[in-house]
Every structure is written in structure tokens, then in C-alpha cells.
Amino acid sequence: MKKHIIFSLGAGIAIPFVFFGTIIMASLFYPGYSHYRQFASELGAGFAPHPWIYNTGVTLRGAAEIIAAYGFLRVFRKLKLNPVLGVMAVTIVCISGISALLSAHYNFPDPRHRAYGLQAAIVIGPVLFAATLRRISEARCLVIFLLVNNILLFLTYLLSAASDNIGLMQRLRFLFSFPWVAICAYWLLSYVRKMPPNAALAPCESKSLTQSVLLRRSAQRDAGNSERSTRR
């Protein structure tokens, strides 16, 4: 597998660690900050003691999402998955990254901090990835996980409007908004690494891992039958 694809998927794996680590780090330098009652964006607001900590982390998250989107697109092409669904799924991750960059640039409470509602697009991200990966038999558990994650993500959006603990509900929403991207990146990285080396050198012409394994087993059976026939 080419190094830039590995790097791109690695960026996807890093997304939740960078983002949640940023929230924790920034809150340590904000005396009296409440994770239950305050938005995460307040850590990067003009009235925050050290807004650059949060805004830098969000910028890194946005960049990681855009880089990961490229890696996902290359792997989807390698596996010859549905191109329309693949592009739609990758676009959602890319939009989330752009939204993060805008949010970091326009600090809370600037109206543009919400990035014109672009971040809400992430709510259909898991189901699009599930639809894209459904043809891979080994991805069955991953697909189920993505669908369940999508339902929970949608519910957190609905519950956020009715809860007084806005910070807590936002953290729950984050929990279902970003880790699934890292899980998909890790799974795809592991899956593609198991493919034959010659397939990894030709992304557009390679077969899926399942087909390669079946062909290899078939060849081994044919060789065994031929050897037994020769002995007789």
C-alpha cells in the first residue's frame, strides 16, 4: 500500500484523539469551566483564558478529516465499491473538516462559528459509509455498528434541544460524531493491508480481498487434485 494512503487513513484514526484531547487540555486552562453546562466552543471564545489551545486543536481535527477523506476515496476505488455512495460518504467527512476549519477561524459567539450548519451533515455520515461497505462480507459487523451509531447520533441531536445540560449532550453527540470515522479508517487500513502486494500496487485494477482469497483457495484445490491424480 502506498505511503500517502496509509498516512491519510492514519489521520482518520487520529481524529477523535486530537479532538477530545484538545477539549480536555483546553478545559484545564479554563478555571471554572463546566463540561456539563458549557459548549466546547466556549473554550475557544474570545473571553476564554487561552482560546488558541482549542482553536488549534479544532484546526488540526479539520485538517485530519480532509486528509482522511482522501484516503477513504482511494481505498473505495481500490476495492471497487459503489462510486456514487463512496463519493457521498467521503464528501460528508470532508464537509465536517471544512466546518471545523471555519469554526476555528470564526470564534464563538460569532454567528459564522456554526459554519452555516455544515457540521450537521455528519448525521448521515455513518449510514453512507455502511451503504458503501455493505458489499464486503467481512465488514458485516462494521456495517451494523455504523447503523446503530447513526441511530444514536440522530437521537442525541434530538435530545440536545430538550436538555438543560447542553455541555453533556454536546459531548454525547461528539461521541457518536467522530470515533466512527477513526474506526472505519482503522478497519479499512487493516483490511487493505491483507490484500496481495500486487493488488496494492494497482488501486484501480485490484480485486477485493474476498475474491483474492477464494481464487487462491481454488488454485490450491486444483493443484492438490492434480497431484493426487498424478500419483494414481
Side-chain angles (χ1 to χ4, degrees):
M1 188 192 304
K2 295 184 177 180
K3 291 183 179 180
H4 64 276
I5 299 180
I6 296 175
F7 174 78
S8 299
L9 293 178
I13 295 172
I15 289 171
F17 298 99
V18 170
F19 188 49
F20 290 118
T22 295
I23 293 175
I24 294 172
M25 181 63 67
S27 67
L28 295 177
F29 294 90
Y30 192 135
Y33 179 80
S34 173
H35 287 283
Y36 292 93
R37 296 182 178 84
Q38 289 180 266
F39 290 113
S41 297
E42 294 181 50
L43 294 168
F47 53 77
H50 303 283
W52 66 269
I53 299 176
Y54 179 79
N55 293 326
T56 300
V58 172
T59 299
L60 292 175
R61 191 204 92 198
E65 286 180 293
I66 294 172
I67 294 171
Y70 169 77
F72 285 131
L73 183 61
R74 291 299 302 271
V75 172
F76 290 164
R77 289 181 59 194
K78 169 187 278 294
L79 300 177
K80 294 187 177 181
L81 301 177
N82 187 301
V84 176
L85 290 173
V87 169
M88 291 174 63
V90 167
T91 300
I92 293 299
V93 177
C94 194
I95 288 175
S96 178
I98 294 172
S99 171
L101 295 179
L102 290 173
S103 296
H105 182 71
Y106 299 109
N107 300 337
F108 182 86
D110 189 314
R112 293 169 292 182
H113 175 74
R114 295 178 60 84
Y116 311 102
L118 290 177
Q119 185 59 49
I122 199 70
V123 76
I124 61 173
V127 72
L128 286 176
F129 267 75
T132 303
L133 298 170
R134 74 187 189 285
R135 292 183 177 274
I136 303 177
S137 59
E138 293 88 343
R140 186 173 302 171
C141 291
L142 177 61
V143 169
I144 294 174
F145 162 76
L146 289 170
L147 294 175
V148 172
N149 187 97
N150 211 139
I151 294 172
L152 294 174
L153 175 58
F154 183 72
L155 288 176
T156 57
Y157 265 94
L158 293 179
L159 294 175
S160 295
S163 175
D164 293 330
N165 295 323
I166 54 176
L168 177 61
M169 293 308 302
Q170 187 186 48
R171 300 316 185 273
L172 287 175
R173 192 167 71 245
F174 289 160
L175 186 62
F176 300 114
S177 295
F178 303 110
W180 70 265
V181 180
I183 292 171
C184 285
Y186 176 79
W187 191 92
L188 286 168
L189 182 61
S190 302
Y191 183 78
V192 177
R193 275 181 167 174
K194 296 177 184 177
M195 295 179 68
N198 59 337
L201 295 175
C204 296
E205 300 176 359
S206 62
K207 297 180 180 180
S208 69
L209 179 60
T210 302
Q211 292 173 325
S212 300
V213 171
L214 291 176
L215 288 173
R216 194 182 308 121
R217 289 177 179 176
S218 178
Q220 291 173 349
R221 283 197 300 268
D222 292 342
N225 293 334
S226 177
E227 184 179 351
R228 284 193 293 270
S229 298
T230 303
R231 291 178 179 177
R232 291 177 182 175

